[in-house]
Amino acid sequence: MNQIEIKNLNNQFSIDEPENRLNIVEGKGGLPVIEVFNRYASVLICLQGAHLLSWIPKDKEDVIWLSEDASFKPGKSIRGGVPVCWPWFGAHETQSSYPAHGFARTTLWQIVSTEAMEDGGTKITLTIRPSSNCEEMWPADTSLQYQITIGRKLELELITINNGMQPITIGQALHTYFRVSDVSNILLFGLDDTDYLDKLDGFKRKVQYGPVTVEQEVDRIYLDTASDCVIEDKTLQRNIVIIKCGSHSTVVWNPWREVAEKMGDLGKDGFKKMLCVESANAADDVVTIEPGKEHHLWVQYDAQLIT
Ligand code: TA6
């Protein structure tokens, strides 16, 4: 995106209030980035993929992990942050040449609106219309909206609207990389007694007992769960509380050392500093949307100090 286009976006969408500022700037690799500073937090969102890169609640540390080796290139997904996986999760069911986790995370999104809210928060609405630029992979007349609300907590809402005449079926996830002090020292609560598919063991169905701990590679789809999750990080004295709606599966992923080294964009020992806890519609938990109807995937994140 060139400087004139960025200037035009600022003319339309920037916010310039004493305690609520929003600007669009040229980020790494020339990709446009929305910067928000308000009384609650600062946030960075790359328009490619509507990819949230950072959320720093006031006087706290970043809650989101972004790889120091993430590449910022047109059409390439960014390692870390909050990738938007849509309209399928993981590999495409039948077309192996289609990108994993869909194309929303590598598409350039449009800004619909920005709003300085009365309570001092900031709301941003982004959109894509896939049938206009990803028609081969997704011919259905669908619009996708993404609302990001930066208040005392962070809210993300992904809305799929079926404008066509036939039902559509989607899989999706907010594939959030949470920043942790050391992944082997955290506990993830909320999935006790929940069945999961273990991708590392041929998708065998297993049961979780107690909190999830990570001492090796983990790649699991927890099934039939709408539960809140909490990442307890005693070293950072922080609980990250994850609440969701419109999702009945939760994916937990950490690649651990060997896989991370092969992936090449996780940075030195980056795997230790992250845990993906993804509010998803994955495996059998796909969503069918009838003509004229919509589906909302909503999450709310809160970073609480452990006293
Ligand atoms: O959500 C877990 C997962 O699907 C893993 O299997 C893992 O490969 C990861 O996402 C990252 O996928 P990506 O396509 O971003 O390399």
Side-chain angles (χ1 to χ4, degrees):
M1 189 168 281
N2 63 39
Q3 289 303 327
I4 298 174
E5 288 169 310
I6 288 188
K7 195 168 170 222
N8 287 341
L9 285 179
N10 277 307
N11 287 342
Q12 264 184 286
F13 298 113
S14 68
I15 297 173
D16 189 13
E17 295 185 0
E19 266 203 299
N20 205 338
R21 283 185 292 126
L22 182 152
N23 287 299
I24 299 101
V25 298
E26 186 179 319
K28 287 186 184 163
L31 300 177
V33 169
I34 302 176
E35 294 181 337
V36 179
F37 305 92
N38 67 24
R39 74 167 71 137
Y40 302 109
S42 64
V43 157
L44 298 175
I45 305 152
C46 182
L47 281 184
Q48 173 167 291
H51 202 122
L52 190 129
L53 304 173
S54 167
W55 168 45
I56 308 179
K58 197 122 209 161
D59 302 325
K60 293 189 177 141
E61 293 179 30
D62 212 323
V63 181
I64 304 295
W65 179 85
L66 178 67
S67 172
E68 60 191 28
D69 284 354
S71 71
F72 291 83
K73 292 196 184 123
K76 192 154 177 354
S77 65
I78 299 164
R79 181 66 63 203
V82 185
V84 174
C85 304
W86 187 96
W88 56 86
F89 179 82
H92 189 275
E93 218 184 346
T94 55
Q95 304 291 329
S96 58
S97 64
Y98 285 6
H101 293 319
F103 50 79
R105 64 175 175 164
T106 50
T107 301
L108 191 65
W109 288 57
Q110 311 290 319
I111 306 176
V112 177
S113 62
T114 57
E115 184 190 338
M117 297 160 76
E118 266 182 27
D119 67 354
T122 313
K123 187 172 182 172
I124 301 162
T125 303
L126 307 173
T127 193
I128 52 171
R129 191 109 183 193
S131 51
S132 61
N133 51 3
C134 296
E135 193 182 1
E136 198 198 321
M137 288 190 273
W138 191 259
D141 186 2
T142 311
S143 29
L144 189 58
Q145 278 207 2
Y146 194 34
Q147 292 180 351
I148 301 168
T149 308
I150 305 133
R152 205 183 65 68
K153 300 174 185 179
L154 179 71
E155 288 180 33
L156 307 173
E157 185 162 15
L158 189 63
I159 307 165
T160 306
I161 305 156
N162 182 359
N163 307 305
M165 308 295 279
Q166 301 294 328
I168 56 168
T169 299
I170 57 160
Q172 58 186 347
L174 296 169
H175 193 305
T176 308
Y177 290 72
F178 290 102
R179 185 176 153 272
V180 295
S181 57
D182 179 339
V183 72
S184 44
N185 288 338
I186 60 94
L187 295 174
L188 172 62
F189 293 96
L191 297 167
D192 188 16
D193 251 336
T194 305
D195 284 14
Y196 65 88
L197 302 179
D198 188 348
K199 188 171 169 189
L200 305 175
D201 192 8
F203 288 98
K204 220 183 248 174
R205 197 175 174 119
K206 302 180 179 175
V207 186
Q208 177 69 40
Y209 295 110
V212 180
T213 53
V214 182
E215 274 132 37
Q216 56 187 333
E217 185 185 1
V218 170
D219 196 348
R220 301 173 182 168
I221 303 175
Y222 286 86
L223 303 170
D224 201 11
T225 175
S227 297
D228 304 349
C229 283
V230 178
I231 302 173
E232 183 192 83
D233 190 336
K234 288 204 167 130
T235 309
L236 290 183
Q237 291 183 291
R238 176 166 85 182
N239 277 339
I240 301 173
V241 181
I242 303 163
I243 298 177
K244 63 174 183 169
C245 259
S247 149
H248 289 93
S249 38
T250 297
V251 177
V252 179
W253 177 62
N254 181 287
W256 210 250
R257 186 181 302 281
E258 238 173 72
V259 174
E261 278 170 7
K262 279 192 205 130
M263 290 172 75
D265 61 356
L266 270 104
K268 189 171 168 345
D269 290 339
F271 74 95
K272 278 192 187 165
K273 302 283 174 195
M274 48 107 354
L275 180 67
C276 285
V277 181
E278 309 166 32
S279 300
N281 296 105
D284 287 346
D285 176 31
V286 287
V287 178
T288 297
I289 308 168
E290 296 299 325
K293 302 284 185 207
E294 55 191 56
H295 177 266
H296 294 234
L297 168 61
W298 174 89
V299 300
Q300 184 194 68
Y301 301 148
D302 188 16
Q304 298 174 352
L305 198 68
I306 305 177
T307 44

